Amino acid sequence: MLSVVVNFYNNRREARNTLYSLTRGYQRDATDILYEVIALDNGSAQPLSETEVRAFGPEFQYRFVPTRSVSPVAAINAACRQAKGKRLMIIIDGAHILTPQVIELVSEAFRRFRSPFVASCPFTYGPSN
């Protein structure tokens, strides 16, 4: 099983888009892949609700971490310890829409290599500064 831990902080709109990009309806070639998504809200002023997160599918769980820390490290580590999967995918900044085949590609990396470290590069679309 692959456990995907996604960290959010004060980005409701982006969080919903990111979570949608992790659904079985959006992800290509992930039908037979066993995975869970742990949506981790790290102390947002207006967090998502558990109902909103679970509406994305049975793979989705929600955790709110009340904190004043500016670092998400403690919350991410706690979520990773509670994850069901032996394989972890961590999204530190949950304001990204993932590639429609990322679950399958990460799973493929774990099939091919004993202990892969897989990173993706974010791309920004729109006007530049």
Side-chain angles (χ1 to χ4, degrees):
M1 174 184 261
L2 173 66
S3 293
V4 181
V5 177
V6 189
N7 180 69
F8 300 104
Y9 177 73
N10 283 343
N11 53 357
R12 287 179 59 79
R13 180 179 60 89
E14 294 86 350
R16 286 192 287 270
N17 292 335
T18 301
L19 292 173
Y20 174 75
S21 75
L22 287 164
T23 63
R24 292 197 181 274
Y26 183 85
Q27 286 296 313
R28 283 186 271 160
D29 302 325
T31 307
D32 297 329
I33 297 172
L34 185 60
Y35 71 95
E36 68 175 342
V37 177
I38 301 170
L40 180 64
D41 191 301
N42 196 38
S44 295
Q46 295 180 353
L48 292 171
S49 70
E50 184 169 354
T51 303
E52 286 176 287
V53 172
R54 290 191 177 271
F56 287 102
E59 301 85 6
F60 288 78
Q61 304 173 35
Y62 175 73
R63 298 212 173 80
F64 178 80
V65 179
T67 184
R68 292 180 187 256
S69 174
V70 295
S71 172
V73 172
I76 290 172
N77 284 339
C80 288
R81 283 191 294 275
Q82 296 170 351
K84 296 175 188 169
K86 291 184 179 183
R87 299 169 173 172
L88 292 171
M89 178 175 156
I90 300 168
I91 304 168
I92 297 170
D93 179 2
H96 298 283
I97 297 174
L98 285 87
T99 299
Q101 203 171 12
V102 74
I103 296 293
E104 197 279 327
L105 294 171
V106 167
S107 295
E108 178 70 19
F110 278 107
R111 281 191 297 273
R112 289 181 180 223
F113 304 100
R114 204 182 82 171
S115 186
F117 178 85
V118 182
S120 66
C121 299
F123 295 96
T124 304
Y125 294 104
S128 60
N129 295 336

